[in-house]
């Protein structure tokens, strides 16, 4: 696993998702700033944890697909169900 490559690609995806850019959220009686929702990703020597899901070993085909999506410069396709409008 090339952790440096994965981390670099995650940084690129974070910029595309609007990291550090606040949006306007309308509320009754006014508006406020809204930060994009964080999506935690923890990489370990033998696997990873994304969001609040259980540990996933790198040998798992779904984990390999997730990492390949990131390396290819895409948001993981498995997130489409949870974020149908994008991240």
């Amino acid at each position: 696993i090339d952790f440096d490559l994965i981390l670099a690609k995650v940084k690129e995806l974070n910029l595309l998702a609007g990291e550090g850019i606040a949006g306007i959220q309308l509320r009754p009686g006014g508006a406020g700033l809204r930060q994009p929702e964080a999506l935690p990703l923890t990489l370990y020597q033998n696997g990873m944890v994304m969001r609040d899901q259980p540990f996933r070993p790198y040998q798992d085909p779904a984990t390999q697909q997730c990492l390949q999506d990131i390396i290819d410069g895409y948001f993981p396709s498995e997130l489409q169900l949870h974020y149908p409008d994008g991240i």
Side-chain angles (χ1 to χ4, degrees):
I1 302 292
D2 186 344
F3 292 108
D4 291 332
L5 176 61
I6 293 171
L7 292 175
K9 294 295 186 170
V10 166
K11 285 182 183 183
E12 289 176 16
L13 291 171
N14 284 342
L15 290 174
L16 286 173
E19 179 181 52
I21 299 173
I24 302 294
Q25 181 176 8
L26 298 177
R27 298 180 183 148
L33 294 177
R34 176 184 47 86
Q35 296 292 330
E37 178 185 345
L39 184 82
L41 173 65
T42 306
L43 301 173
Y44 296 96
Q45 185 175 7
N46 59 346
M48 67 178 220
V49 175
M50 186 167 45
R51 298 184 352 197
D52 56 355
Q53 297 177 346
F55 179 82
R56 299 165 54 174
Y58 293 132
Q59 293 81 10
D60 183 293
T63 303
Q64 292 176 7
Q65 181 61 54
C66 178
L67 292 176
Q68 191 60 54
D69 286 347
I70 292 170
I71 290 169
D72 290 343
Y74 299 106
F75 292 102
S77 56
E78 68 186 59
L79 298 176
Q80 290 175 352
L81 292 175
H82 300 287
Y83 301 93
D85 297 326
I87 294 182

